[in-house]
Amino acid sequence: MDTSPIRVLIAKPGLDGHDRGAKVIARALRDAGMEVIYTGLRQTPEMIAEAALQEDVDAVGLSILSGAHNALVPRVMALLNARGMEHVLVFLGGIIPDEDIPALKAQGVAGVFGPGANTQVIAEAVRQAVKK
Amino acid sequence: MNSVDALLSGDRRALARLITQIENNRPEARAALAALYPHTGRAYLLGVTGAPGTGKSTLVNELAKARRRDGQTVAIVAVDPSSPFTGGAILGDRIRMRDLSGDPGVFIRSMATRGSLGGLARATADVIVALDVAGYQTIIIETEGAGQAEVDIAQLAHTTLVVEAPGLGDDVQAIKAGILEIADVLVVNKADQPGADAAVRALRGMLNLAHPASRFPGAAAAAAHHRRPVGAGSPPPDPAAPVEPVWQVPICETVATEGKGIDALWSAIERHREHQRASGAFAHWQRIRVERQLEALIRDELYARFVSASGEQLGQAIQAILNRARDPYTVVEELLR
């Protein structure tokens, strides 16, 4: 009987200082029964990868509003892989232009959820992807 | 053994995965813990508890930084509550520990209480076994925000800090009464805020009122036995003097956000550590810890065996009590016959 809660790291890489969206997601995943490690603002990709390793999370959610996603996301994913955590699901929130999404997904991003996305849908998507 | 080698060689990923298995109560974790146990007992365990918002996480961050400056490695276990409704949790202690991330001499793990009520998670003690074997010299255990009953930390840690802050209002004293007994060192954090002096005075007064045993020579030894802190109002102990049987709980003032008072706090912790060794209290408490752990494990195991052996009897007994046909005491006697 495996009733272990899903563990998710919610992080804000880069320099933008608005974390309301990240907190909304953290709260929604908590309400979906997950253990959410929230690391706060201005995290470097190294900090995020190391926290993901120590906390042994199933998924990492990145909230990026600064437009730097094309630089930050590949870096986080490379650092996760370097630590043997290629199985960890990475999903994105924030302001991500539609035209950037296919390339991000091609790099292995499991989902991109912009403003207005239904939080229950996000939680269910995370749950399904982790269970796989 | 595999897990022992991995941990001894400093494999952080293996450590993190083992902690998950321990938290999830997996059978592999049991086997690993059995192999790890002989390698434990090296780390110093520092407990940090106190009401929500007193600055525990910020203080832990500063305490860990100070240890790192001395070249010691540090692990931190930060406990936050699980929702009683969904089982979910927001573990936010890392927000205050940014300074430590990226330091290979620090390992931080957030734990949800998962229904445990004592301020820690059920698995916290076993997670500490893993961190101890992995070689972290100081392990800081931060409880969830605690009120009165969350005193499990005192059974686990070698030294327990109870953190207070000014501005919690007059009800501050009510909180004190519950946690006074487990404090080895009292910390008034946010000591630059208005009301800090009053908070220190209130604590000092409460300590003197609550445990006046030191005034009676015979009672002092008894109090030492029960680890009752006594008389913080008295002057700090003279290092040259013979070992006092009773530890005098010091009150340390800190401003964790500015790193103030941290060195003095560490020296108070070191004094407590030394006192525990010199007075024999350390060995005494080690024994009590093991006794209590065994008691809890045996109770759980016996109950589990009883439930699996009793089959339908238990359900019938519950129904008999609901029907008022039997009282609970008689039922227990019959079930255990």
Side-chain angles (χ1 to χ4, degrees):
Chain A
M1 57 152 218
D2 193 359
T3 53
S4 318
I6 293 171
R7 286 170 70 86
V8 185
L9 184 80
I10 297 291
K12 272 201 64 65
L15 296 177
D16 77 84
H18 303 279
D19 63 350
R20 185 173 159 74
K23 284 175 179 161
V24 167
I25 294 302
R27 170 69 200 265
L29 297 182
R30 184 203 85 175
D31 288 344
M34 300 179 200
E35 291 182 355
V36 183
I37 294 105
Y38 183 57
T39 57
L41 295 170
R42 299 188 187 92
Q43 300 281 303
T44 64
E46 286 77 8
M47 288 160 111
I48 292 167
E50 188 56 30
L53 178 144
Q54 292 178 12
E55 301 287 358
D56 192 26
V57 293
D58 304 294
V60 174
L62 302 172
S63 167
I64 306 175
L65 303 168
S66 62
H69 46 273
N70 286 332
L72 291 168
V73 174
R75 182 92 186 116
V76 170
M77 301 197 67
L79 290 166
L80 283 172
N81 291 346
R83 285 167 173 73
M85 301 189 70
E86 46 284 290
H87 66 284
V88 171
L89 171 76
V90 176
F91 61 100
L92 283 187
I95 307 298
I96 313 290
D98 285 346
E99 59 266 33
D100 289 348
I101 292 176
L104 290 165
K105 286 196 166 168
Q107 292 170 49
V109 170
V112 180
F113 306 102
N118 182 313
T119 55
Q120 283 178 357
V121 170
I122 298 173
E124 195 46 39
V126 171
R127 184 186 307 283
Q128 291 304 328
V130 168
K131 289 287 175 221
K132 254 182 230 162
Chain B
M1 277 299 288
N2 226 342
S3 52
V4 176
D5 290 345
L7 262 54
L8 290 176
S9 75
D11 184 339
R12 292 152 79 81
R13 171 117 178 84
L15 173 62
R17 295 183 75 158
L18 177 60
I19 291 174
T20 303
Q21 291 174 347
I22 292 170
E23 278 201 282
N24 293 342
N25 206 11
R26 310 278 305 174
E28 312 89 276
R30 253 331 144 83
L33 284 168
L36 293 176
Y37 207 80
H39 300 268
T40 57
R42 291 181 297 171
Y44 195 72
L45 311 184
L46 177 67
V48 180
T49 188
T54 49
K56 291 186 295 299
S57 301
T58 310
L59 191 69
V60 167
N61 181 52
E62 291 300 321
L63 286 168
K65 274 162 65 183
R67 269 299 89 144
R68 291 297 295 138
R69 280 196 293 275
D70 296 339
Q72 286 213 21
T73 54
V74 182
I76 297 168
V77 178
V79 182
D80 268 332
S82 296
S83 160
F85 303 108
T86 66
I90 297 210
L91 312 175
D93 293 313
R94 273 182 177 269
I95 298 171
R96 311 278 177 238
M97 300 176 190
R98 265 183 109 251
D99 300 347
L100 302 171
S101 68
D103 180 343
V106 177
F107 190 99
I108 305 172
R109 182 67 176 229
S110 312
M111 287 185 84
T113 53
R114 299 195 182 175
S116 202
L117 294 176
L120 300 174
R122 179 197 54 75
T124 303
D126 291 337
V127 167
I128 282 160
V129 166
L131 293 168
D132 187 349
V133 175
Y136 294 97
Q137 292 161 299
T138 299
I139 302 177
I140 306 179
I141 307 127
E142 180 187 340
T143 72
E144 65 173 326
Q148 293 188 310
E150 296 88 344
V151 295
D152 285 358
I153 186 66
Q155 277 184 40
L156 183 61
H158 297 143
T159 299
T160 301
L161 311 186
V162 174
V163 186
E164 297 297 335
L168 291 182
D170 288 342
D171 59 351
V172 132
Q173 300 197 8
I175 304 167
K176 301 302 150 329
I179 47 183
L180 251 193
E181 288 176 272
I182 67 162
D184 298 313
V185 178
L186 278 164
V187 183
V188 175
N189 190 33
K190 310 189 186 183
D192 58 339
Q193 304 276 314
D197 292 346
V200 172
R201 266 201 307 279
L203 282 174
R204 194 156 281 154
M206 287 298 288
L207 279 174
N208 289 334
L209 267 183
H211 303 290
S214 59
R215 291 175 208 158
F216 306 97
H225 182 75
H226 292 292
R227 199 182 181 223
R228 292 284 159 91
V230 181
S234 28
D238 175 1
V243 180
E244 288 280 321
V246 179
W247 168 248
Q248 313 277 318
V249 177
I251 302 176
C252 294
E253 295 180 57
T254 57
V255 184
T257 48
E258 297 170 17
K260 285 185 184 158
I262 302 302
D263 290 341
L265 176 54
W266 261 122
S267 27
I269 295 165
E270 292 293 348
R271 280 208 308 279
H272 178 256
R273 182 179 188 174
E274 198 35 56
H275 179 274
Q276 292 293 93
R277 287 195 193 285
S279 67
F282 186 82
H284 175 73
W285 271 91
Q286 289 296 94
R287 196 183 166 82
I288 289 182
R289 271 179 200 116
V290 172
E291 253 177 57
R292 288 183 180 163
Q293 193 186 6
L294 274 189
E295 180 190 324
L297 288 174
I298 291 171
R299 195 191 300 128
D300 290 355
E301 184 64 29
L302 278 180
Y303 183 71
R305 285 186 193 183
F306 167 75
V307 168
S308 72
S310 66
E312 289 177 4
Q313 266 185 307
L314 194 60
Q316 289 161 1
I318 291 168
Q319 196 53 51
I321 296 168
L322 285 172
N323 294 344
R324 314 273 157 189
R326 290 260 207 309
D327 73 292
Y329 293 98
T330 310
V331 162
V332 169
E333 249 178 57
E334 287 173 2
L335 285 174
L336 295 181
R337 194 164 288 153

